Amino acid sequence: MDIVLVTTIIASLFLVIGAAEPLAARLRLPFSVILAVLGVMIGAGAIFFLQTELTDALNPVAEAILGLPIRSNAFLYVFLPTLLFQATLGMNLRRMLDDWVPILVLAVVAVVVATLSVGYALSWASTLPLAACLLIGAIVSTTDPSAVVSIFRSISAPRRLVRIIEGESLLNDAAAIALFGLFMGFVMLGIPDPDLGEALARFPMLIIGGAVTGWIAARFAVWIMALFSRHELAQSSISVALPYLAYIVAEQSIGASGVIAVVAAGLTMNLTAPGRLPPQAWTKLRELWDVLAHWAGALIFILAALLIPRLLEDAVIGDFLLVLVVVIAAVAARAVILFGLLPLLTLFKLSPAVDRPYRVAILWGGLRGAVTLALALAVTESFRVPDGIQRVVGILATGFTLFTLLAQGTTLRWVIGRLGLDRLSPIDEALSRQVVAVALQTVREDVASTTGNYELSRDTVRSEAKSFAERLDAAVKMAEDSADILDRDRITLGLIALAGHERDTILFRLRERTISARMAEQVLSDADRLMEGARTQGRSGYQRAGRRSSAYGRWFRAAVLLHRRLGISRLLARITADRFELLLSQRLILRDLGAFIDGRIRRIHGRRVAELLHELLSRRIEAVETALEGLRLQYPGYAEKLERRFIRRTALRLEEREYTVMREDGLIGAEVYTSLMQDLNARRAAAELRPHLDIALQKAALVRQFPLFASLDDKTLKRLGRVLESRYVNAGDILLRKDETATRVFFISSGAVELESAAQTWRLGRGEMFGQMAILMQKLPRAEVRAIAPTTLLVLDQDRFRRLLDRSKAVRKAVQASAEKRGIEPSRLFPETGEQP
């Protein structure tokens, strides 16, 4: 085909894609539905002009459209890797990992259930072999979440729900394509009734092989990109090569799932690249992939839609009855997942609760799209698949896709409206009225100052002020009419607004390069947890999310265990350095939130809510300071290095701003500006490097900081440092229970604990100890000890503690003082000496 003609048609399709987006917005229909309709119209029009005798002038164009080299390999090897890779780069993986159980279960189980449901329903309703029926089931089990996700975002649906839908859809595609490959092999080999146990047994190997391939490829690509840190175009080029090479190597060389390889590569780059690449390079790279994915998604949809008239031209009435069977079976399978499995996961606290209206919307929003058509096209092109099966697969997959797009897609927004999901709740409605009133009051003050500065005509100002005052009075009256919001609801709304402002502050700090992209993603995840916790559980949910943001995580505990048992310190060094930087970033951001409470929340929700929010914010700042102080004690000097790095990065940002202003004002030319920026970028690259953390626990230095051990000689201190065991606990962790045999004594390095015994409570802080009473009195503990802040402890077993008592008078006196404080005679602790204080 003439390359000029092909180029002209592809360029014209881009014009169609450009027009489809505003058309979809105007008609309030999903973008994918508009693309599919336009594609079908173009394909049907080409067939019509080619077959009609009305005119022959358009025959060359029609032939070119119908003769486009659209093959399934073009979809699977050119477009699909782009879509999958961009989807993984755009995810907030830290939040996805919070919900990995529902995402993984819903994705894999949903695909298997849909495949079996459609396969066995078709096997019962038709004369097709079971292998072909299961192949059709795998083809139609993929879902396109773009329509329901875009609508959910426009109606402010829970973000967690949107993330679960996106993550489930991504893995859903991967699992469906892997199953498609299995059953396609059975069909081509002529095995009519495959052994499902054997087929599913091969499924994990496809997944594991693809995951390992993608992980290795991404690690290698990120390593090369880090070497080219000053060349952003080179980094972008390497990122474009990564998904295609991972896909081809997995499919052609290893025999694993190429889709899984692309997903694994994208997830690995998402996790590792922000810490290895400059922030601006990572931002530009993601923007590039957003554009590539938009083009790829639109092209794959419209090109696949061009084929629909051809795939349906041989359809008969019986085929449409089978399409109805596929529709019923697929919808039933989706309903089983949403109304059977999802509530079960919620019952076992593995998934958030999803209200029934949202589940109905997800069920009706399970559209199928280009991936389904591409897989069906792969079947129709294979000469090893019998002609009868080719025809039926093409018709059923195409008919089912058309039903979801034209029947479900066009009515999805109406269904959501009928479910009431597009309406504000009474609380949000009342809040919106108050927000409008406060905003208009602020606008009035600003407009008054602006008109005074510009000395505008008094008559004009008076006329506009009168109309504005009328609108303001109406807004104030509506706000007063809805002023009966409960304080509990006001607190919840205030916390949601505070978490949202925290997120905005993080993004501003990221643009200003005050915090790194790696840390920004983590603190953004914490802000999202705060918002969702406040939205679902109010104040308690917000506090729980706040404690989690400064707590020791599972990975930190695992790294400590790995270091203590096997002497492997690299993971602990990296996680500890991340924790240092995270806490410094959190402290910087939290200190900016007080002004927002006073300036905005107080005006909308009142003084009482503002004071409570200040109290909650103070607790978060105190928790961060406590955790940071613990790390400073453990690794003296490292926090100072990070703070110096922050100051250098801030100075470089201000210096860059000055150069830019001078360039815009014409004070320096382009050559001078370029030279200055090159020098600045070199210094910025050096400033972005995080200082190395020596993970040696430095217990001897830490032990010296305890007043209890001040009298010990250096030799004893070093020996004590070797035998003391470090332990990190979070607020709420129980360290010592009542009536449990005590075998160790705990020394508090940082943080605080609370002892509760016989309705009495004591709080212990840095430098104090607990657990010694039960050991010395040889009785079961009467107190329960619980951490009330992230706490670092040094632990000593009872035999070594007794020897320490013999060597240190300071420790002995501390034990006696602690006993007196609790009303215990010191002679009961040292019966062999009868010693008194």
Side-chain angles (χ1 to χ4, degrees):
M1 183 181 295
D2 186 3
I3 187 63
V4 175
L5 195 55
V6 173
T7 304
T8 303
I9 293 173
I10 296 297
S12 301
L13 291 180
F14 271 100
L15 289 177
V16 173
I17 292 168
E21 188 172 6
L23 181 61
R26 185 175 183 84
L27 298 177
R28 296 176 60 82
L29 290 174
F31 181 52
S32 56
V33 172
I34 296 297
L35 285 176
V37 171
L38 292 176
V40 171
M41 291 173 61
I42 293 171
I47 293 175
F48 171 78
F49 283 115
L50 197 61
Q51 295 179 351
T52 185
E53 297 180 356
L54 295 177
T55 178
D56 294 332
L58 296 177
N59 283 359
V61 177
E63 290 176 352
I65 292 174
L66 297 176
L68 282 174
I70 305 173
R71 299 290 182 269
S72 60
N73 283 344
F75 292 119
L76 299 178
Y77 282 86
V78 177
F79 297 121
L80 190 60
T82 304
L83 296 175
L84 296 174
F85 193 72
Q86 184 275 334
T88 56
L89 290 186
M91 286 181 172
N92 186 333
L93 288 184
R94 288 183 172 84
R95 298 310 324 277
M96 289 287 185
L97 291 176
D98 292 344
D99 296 308
W100 69 272
V101 173
I103 288 174
L104 193 61
V105 171
L106 286 174
V108 177
V109 175
V111 167
V112 173
V113 170
T115 300
L116 297 179
S117 174
V118 173
Y120 280 100
L122 276 178
S123 178
W124 170 78
S126 70
T127 58
L128 291 171
L130 179 60
C133 296
L134 292 172
L135 176 64
I136 296 171
I139 290 173
V140 302
S141 63
T142 63
T143 57
D144 178 8
S146 58
V148 69
V149 166
S150 63
I151 294 177
F152 275 7
R153 284 175 175 164
S154 68
I155 62 174
S156 300
R159 290 187 181 181
R160 191 177 184 186
L161 177 59
V162 173
R163 278 197 307 272
I164 290 176
I165 295 172
E166 289 179 322
E168 182 247 344
S169 175
L170 178 66
L171 298 181
N172 167 305
D173 285 349
I177 294 173
L179 278 179
F180 166 81
L182 280 178
F183 293 123
M184 184 71 168
F186 289 127
V187 172
M188 290 190 299
L189 292 174
I191 303 175
D193 193 4
D195 183 353
L196 288 183
E198 179 185 351
L200 295 178
R202 293 169 54 192
F203 189 62
M205 295 309 298
L206 292 173
I207 303 294
I208 294 172
V212 172
T213 302
W215 179 79
I216 294 174
R219 295 288 294 185
F220 183 66
V222 171
W223 176 72
I224 296 178
M225 292 166 70
L227 295 179
F228 301 156
S229 58
R230 299 184 186 180
H231 306 280
E232 294 180 1
L233 293 179
Q235 293 172 342
S236 299
S237 301
I238 293 170
S239 75
V240 171
L242 172 60
Y244 295 103
L245 293 178
Y247 189 94
I248 292 170
V249 169
E251 287 280 340
Q252 303 297 327
S253 300
I254 300 177
S257 171
V259 173
I260 296 294
V262 173
V263 171
L267 295 177
T268 304
M269 177 166 281
N270 194 337
L271 285 173
T272 59
R276 302 289 304 277
L277 304 181
Q280 68 276 12
W282 177 243
T283 301
K284 290 182 180 178
L285 188 145
R286 290 179 63 169
E287 291 173 352
L288 168 67
W289 275 99
D290 287 342
V291 175
L292 292 177
H294 175 72
W295 287 342
L299 280 175
I300 192 175
F301 230 112
I302 201 165
L303 289 174
L306 288 175
L307 302 173
I308 289 178
R310 244 187 297 172
L311 292 172
L312 293 179
E313 62 183 356
D314 295 331
V316 296
I317 296 297
D319 295 327
F320 290 108
L321 293 177
L322 292 181
V323 169
L324 182 62
V325 172
V326 173
V327 169
I328 295 173
V331 172
R334 190 75 171 160
V336 168
I337 298 299
L338 291 171
F339 294 93
L341 182 59
L342 197 58
L344 196 61
L345 292 178
T346 303
L347 181 65
F348 288 101
K349 298 182 179 180
L350 297 175
S351 171
V354 180
D355 295 336
R356 182 178 293 272
Y358 283 111
R359 279 182 277 165
V360 174
I362 296 170
L363 174 64
W364 195 246
L367 309 184
R368 270 60 169 184
V371 175
T372 299
L373 293 176
L375 296 180
L377 185 62
V379 176
T380 61
E381 290 176 356
S382 176
F383 65 91
R384 299 177 62 183
V385 176
D387 293 340
I389 294 179
Q390 286 186 15
R391 188 190 71 84
V392 175
V393 168
I395 291 173
L396 295 188
T398 304
F400 179 66
T401 302
L402 277 180
F403 171 82
T404 63
L405 291 173
L406 301 181
Q408 295 177 225
T410 56
T411 58
L412 178 58
R413 190 174 290 275
W414 177 82
V415 169
I416 286 177
R418 295 290 295 175
L419 293 170
L421 297 178
D422 58 345
R423 294 191 293 272
L424 290 176
S425 66
I427 295 176
D428 288 338
E429 182 69 30
L431 174 67
S432 68
R433 294 173 181 172
Q434 291 198 335
V435 168
V436 169
V438 172
L440 289 180
Q441 289 174 356
T442 304
V443 170
R444 181 181 63 179
E445 297 168 4
D446 293 341
V447 169
S449 62
T450 301
T451 54
N453 292 336
Y454 287 97
E455 299 181 356
L456 301 177
S457 169
R458 291 186 178 181
D459 292 337
T460 303
V461 172
R462 189 180 298 112
S463 173
E464 289 298 319
K466 182 179 179 180
S467 62
F468 187 85
E470 293 174 354
R471 185 184 173 201
L472 176 59
D473 291 341
V476 170
K477 186 178 185 306
M478 292 179 66
E480 290 174 350
D481 292 341
S482 60
D484 56 346
I485 306 176
L486 298 176
D487 283 348
R488 179 188 60 192
D489 296 328
R490 288 187 180 276
I491 292 169
T492 296
L493 294 170
L495 290 173
I496 293 171
L498 184 63
H501 182 70
E502 182 172 342
R503 196 176 195 280
D504 294 339
T505 304
I506 295 166
L507 294 173
F508 172 76
R509 292 289 185 182
L510 178 61
R511 288 192 297 269
E512 292 289 302
R513 298 178 181 176
T514 306
I515 59 177
S516 66
R518 182 191 185 102
M519 287 301 103
E521 289 198 5
Q522 192 159 346
V523 289
L524 280 173
S525 298
D526 292 336
D528 287 342
R529 290 192 188 97
L530 290 167
M531 194 177 302
E532 289 173 7
R535 190 180 295 276
T536 56
Q537 298 176 335
R539 187 195 313 183
S540 62
Y542 181 90
Q543 290 177 303
R544 189 178 298 110
R547 288 193 297 268
R548 178 177 177 177
S549 67
S550 60
Y552 296 106
R554 292 189 296 269
W555 285 105
F556 186 88
R557 295 173 182 271
V560 170
L561 185 64
L562 198 64
H563 173 72
R564 189 169 63 240
R565 297 291 174 84
L566 302 178
I568 300 174
S569 61
R570 184 174 179 180
L571 179 62
L572 180 58
R574 191 187 71 182
I575 293 179
T576 304
D578 285 347
R579 181 170 171 77
F580 255 121
E581 193 170 358
L582 173 67
L583 292 172
L584 287 172
S585 300
Q586 285 181 334
R587 186 180 65 176
L588 176 70
I589 293 161
L590 291 177
R591 292 187 181 277
D592 292 340
L593 301 182
F596 177 75
I597 295 176
D598 293 330
R600 290 289 183 180
I601 293 180
R602 184 185 295 272
R603 299 186 67 177
I604 296 175
H605 296 293
R607 180 178 57 82
R608 290 178 56 190
V609 173
E611 289 176 353
L612 178 61
L613 263 58
H614 269 300
E615 180 183 347
L616 295 175
L617 181 61
S618 299
R619 291 180 186 175
R620 287 187 61 199
I621 294 175
E622 182 181 355
V624 170
E625 292 285 4
T626 301
L628 194 55
E629 180 63 22
L631 285 175
R632 279 198 177 101
L633 292 171
Q634 198 76 10
Y635 306 102
Y638 189 74
E640 180 184 346
K641 293 180 182 178
L642 289 179
E643 288 170 349
R644 290 181 181 276
R645 174 175 174 246
F646 163 74
I647 294 172
R648 286 195 296 270
R649 287 188 353 210
T650 303
L652 288 170
R653 173 178 54 82
L654 297 175
E655 184 179 351
E656 180 185 15
R657 182 184 298 172
E658 287 298 315
Y659 293 155
T660 302
V661 171
M662 290 180 182
R663 175 72 177 90
E664 292 173 351
D665 291 343
L667 297 177
I668 58 176
E671 295 82 0
V672 175
Y673 177 77
T674 302
S675 175
L676 291 172
M677 290 304 299
Q678 287 176 348
D679 176 66
L680 186 142
N681 288 332
R683 285 182 284 126
R684 173 171 284 150
E688 289 294 335
L689 295 176
R690 191 165 62 184
H692 174 68
L693 172 64
D694 183 5
I695 201 59
L697 293 182
Q698 306 171 9
K699 286 182 187 171
L702 186 61
V703 169
R704 285 189 180 92
Q705 298 177 19
F706 277 81
L708 296 176
F709 307 138
S711 61
L712 298 178
D713 57 72
D714 289 344
K715 184 178 179 181
T716 304
L717 281 173
K718 289 181 180 179
R719 187 163 56 247
L720 185 60
R722 286 195 296 268
V723 298
L724 282 167
E725 175 188 337
S726 298
R727 179 175 295 184
Y728 306 89
V729 294
N730 290 319
D733 289 355
I734 297 177
L735 309 174
L736 199 62
R737 297 182 184 274
K738 294 180 181 180
D739 302 327
E740 284 188 3
T741 303
T743 59
R744 288 167 294 185
V745 177
F746 300 84
F747 300 89
I748 303 174
S749 173
S750 66
V753 302
E754 189 173 75
L755 285 74
E756 183 178 349
S757 174
Q760 289 185 307
T761 300
W762 297 274
R763 288 192 172 184
L764 305 179
R766 178 187 169 195
E768 298 186 272
M769 60 179 165
F770 60 91
Q772 73 279 7
M773 298 297 180
I775 289 176
L776 294 175
M777 297 176 66
Q778 298 182 350
K779 291 183 177 181
L780 295 176
R782 294 185 301 170
E784 182 174 89
V785 184
R786 183 190 306 269
I788 57 176
T791 303
T792 303
L793 302 168
L794 297 179
V795 186
L796 196 64
D797 64 66
Q798 57 180 339
D799 294 334
R800 290 190 174 94
F801 175 69
R802 290 183 183 277
R803 289 198 292 270
L804 179 63
L805 282 176
D806 296 336
R807 293 183 179 179
S808 174
K809 292 182 179 180
V811 175
R812 200 175 186 89
K813 287 182 179 180
V815 171
Q816 293 170 350
S818 177
E820 286 183 338
K821 185 177 180 180
R822 301 182 204 178
I824 300 174
E825 289 293 331
S827 58
R828 296 176 60 189
L829 303 179
F830 309 106
E832 71 280 2
T833 62
E835 187 173 347
Q836 297 293 327

